[in-house]
Amino acid sequence: MARTSTQSIVTRTSIIGGLVGGLVHAGVAVLLWNRWFDNLWELLMTKPLNGVYILLGMFLLGFVPVLFYVGKKVISPAIIVAVFLLLSGFGSWLAGPVRPPSAVPTPFALYILLWVGVVALAGFTGRLEYRRKHRAAGA
């Protein structure tokens, strides 16, 4: 009986790559957030849970695609996140900065605030791509 071994996506290399990707995305996202929407530091001081939610999203939006790519050479999560980032950045660039008293978020702010959906979609497409590649290699 042939035993097939499936490697885990979570390896030391993929975790380190994901951490780097997450920190880079978070750094860029903080700069854009402060430019186009609101001061994140002030938000962290006044509403710490909201700030932590936003920072976690900024990090995971970079972590998940890099984890998939380094772990299994799956590119679709990176494409999903890149498309959302570019479209929201372009939309925010066209709209210009939003400052108080207006509470209307920019497209980039919506991308960050709705990060759970983007990460879920990236993970879902990554899993589908991995399955398709795995089936094609096994056939």
Side-chain angles (χ1 to χ4, degrees):
M1 171 162 52
R3 191 171 166 186
T4 59
S5 115
T6 58
Q7 262 185 329
S8 174
I9 193 170
V10 180
T11 63
R12 179 180 290 211
T13 306
S14 66
I15 293 291
I16 291 170
L19 289 172
V20 171
L23 291 174
V24 167
H25 184 278
V28 170
V30 166
L31 292 173
L32 295 176
W33 178 274
N34 287 340
R35 176 168 172 79
W36 286 325
F37 189 59
D38 203 2
N39 187 328
L40 189 59
W41 181 252
E42 289 176 8
L43 180 65
L44 279 167
M45 293 296 108
T46 57
K47 299 176 183 175
L49 290 178
N50 290 358
V52 168
Y53 170 82
I54 290 167
L55 282 173
L56 179 64
M58 289 175 172
F59 175 77
L60 287 177
L61 284 164
F63 179 82
V64 169
V66 174
L67 181 77
F68 269 99
Y69 182 74
V70 173
K72 293 294 181 188
K73 301 293 184 240
V74 173
I75 194 75
S76 60
I79 292 171
I80 296 290
V81 170
V83 165
F84 275 99
L85 176 62
L86 290 173
L87 289 176
S88 68
F90 185 68
S92 293
W93 177 69
L94 289 177
V98 174
R99 293 291 174 224
S102 177
V104 178
T106 63
F108 180 76
L110 289 174
Y111 161 72
I112 296 298
L113 291 171
L114 301 173
W115 68 264
V116 173
V118 178
V119 168
L121 181 61
F124 179 73
T125 59
R127 180 75 177 155
L128 287 178
E129 182 183 349
Y130 172 71
R131 284 179 146 175
R132 184 187 57 79
K133 280 183 171 183
H134 191 67
R135 261 193 240 125

